């Protein structure tokens, strides 16, 4: 399989930082707050690859750093250090070294992001169809009738009635807002999609429908995805490989079946046991 993303040594520190931050934090120290300077080490030395058409899961409790990783990769936050190479259409992009304009171009044309909170991924001041149109216009679409047809098709594909495309997202349930977010993210058929805790707060039937949709999309479009969650059921269903994070570090990684059936780290063992 072809690599689409290579991440090396990704770290993110909130605060001034000091030479002791990394040594005095992490799972062994049972904290991600540096006792010397008070900085928060949200992520440290994250290194992993993502392959074409693969779904990679990142799991951990709140504050483990899993969301920080994808927010850095999607340019929502700058990393403190590290490197990320995105391989696309024969080109290699050094994500943290390219200028802001190029980062925006990749985010708008080649990446998709679905947030836990739809307010981060949708413009609540325009209609559901308008949100998708906004994304299509960024990618160069210009004909009104084509954009409208594409928006309706995407909404119906994500089980939002086409007749509701002119309604504001605030009129939708949380599950429908998530489906509009997914439709918006998919509008340009990005090769790389980030999913950050997208089933949190949704009832089980809605969760199941959204997860089935994600699998259909992955199989249909061969989209590479990074799925961030604290829910082992989501990981079991979606991810072929999984990384477990605690206090900003990757403490275990491997095939999802191996991680869930035979966890090696005591923390992973507790996570798996608590879900039974």
């Amino acid at each position: 399989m072809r690599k689409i993303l290579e991440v090396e040594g990704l770290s993110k520190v909130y605060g001034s930082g000091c030479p002791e931050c990394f040594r005095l934090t992490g799972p062994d120290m049972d904290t991600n707050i540096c006792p010397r300077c008070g900085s928060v080490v949200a992520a440290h030395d994250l290194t992993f690859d993502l392959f074409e058409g693969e779904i990679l899961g990142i799991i951990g409790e709140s504050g483990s750093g899993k969301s920080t990783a994808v927010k850095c990769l999607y340019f929502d936050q700058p990393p403190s250090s590290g490197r990320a190479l995105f391989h696309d259409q024969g080109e290699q992009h050094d994500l943290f070294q390219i200028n802001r304009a190029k980062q925006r171009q990749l985010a708008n044309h080649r990446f998709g992001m679905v947030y836990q909170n739809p307010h981060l991924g949708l413009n609540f001041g325009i209609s559901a169809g308008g949100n998708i149109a906004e994304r299509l216009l960024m990618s160069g679409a210009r004909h009104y009738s084509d954009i409208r047809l594409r928006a309706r098709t995407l909404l119906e594909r994500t089980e939002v009635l086409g007749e509701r495309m002119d309604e504001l997202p605030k009129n939708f349930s949380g599950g429908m807002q998530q489906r509009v977010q997914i439709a918006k993210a998919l509008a340009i058929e990005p090769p790389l999609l980030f999913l950050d805790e997208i089933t949190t707060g949704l009832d089980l039937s809605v969760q199941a429908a959204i997860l089935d949709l994600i699998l259909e999309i992955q199989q249909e479009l061969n989209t590479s995805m990074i799925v961030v969650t604290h829910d082992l059921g989501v990981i079991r269903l979606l991810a072929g490989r999984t990384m477990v994070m605690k206090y900003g570090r990757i403490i275990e990684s491997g095939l999802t079946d191996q991680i869930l059936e035979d966890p090696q780290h005591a923390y992973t063992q507790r996570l798996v046991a608590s879900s039974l």
Side-chain angles (χ1 to χ4, degrees), residues 218-254:
Q218 188 263 341
Q219 290 161 10
E220 182 182 314
L221 301 178
N222 200 36
T223 307
S224 303
M225 303 184 189
I226 296 180
V227 177
V228 167
T229 184
H230 66 277
D231 188 331
L232 292 181
V234 171
I235 288 293
R236 190 184 297 274
L237 182 65
L238 295 182
R241 285 190 303 128
T242 295
M243 303 189 311
V244 183
M245 289 188 64
K246 184 179 184 184
Y247 289 131
R249 271 69 162 185
I250 298 170
I251 59 169
E252 189 166 355
S253 64

Side-chain angles (χ1 to χ4, degrees), residues 45-60:
D45 198 26
L46 306 186
T47 298
F48 60 91
D49 297 328
L50 178 68
F51 294 89
E52 194 172 41
E54 180 185 29
I55 300 181
L56 174 67
I58 307 179
I59 193 160

Side-chain angles (χ1 to χ4, degrees), residues 69 135 180 206 214:
R135 183 96 165 140
V180 175
V206 175
I214 289 166

Side-chain angles (χ1 to χ4, degrees), residues 4 11 17 21-22 32 49 75 92 105-107 126 140 162 185 195 198 207 223 229 234 245 263:
I4 189 170
S11 298
C21 276
F22 297 142
N32 62 355
D49 297 328
F75 313 120
Q92 177 177 287
Q105 182 186 11
L106 287 175
I126 60 176
L195 306 171
I198 63 167
Q207 283 188 33
T223 307
T229 184
V234 171
M245 289 188 64

Side-chain angles (χ1 to χ4, degrees), residues 21-33 35 247 249:
C21 276
F22 297 142
R23 187 178 68 83
L24 297 178
T25 60
D28 292 341
M29 299 297 176
D30 202 33
T31 184
N32 62 355
I33 301 173
Y247 289 131
R249 271 69 162 185

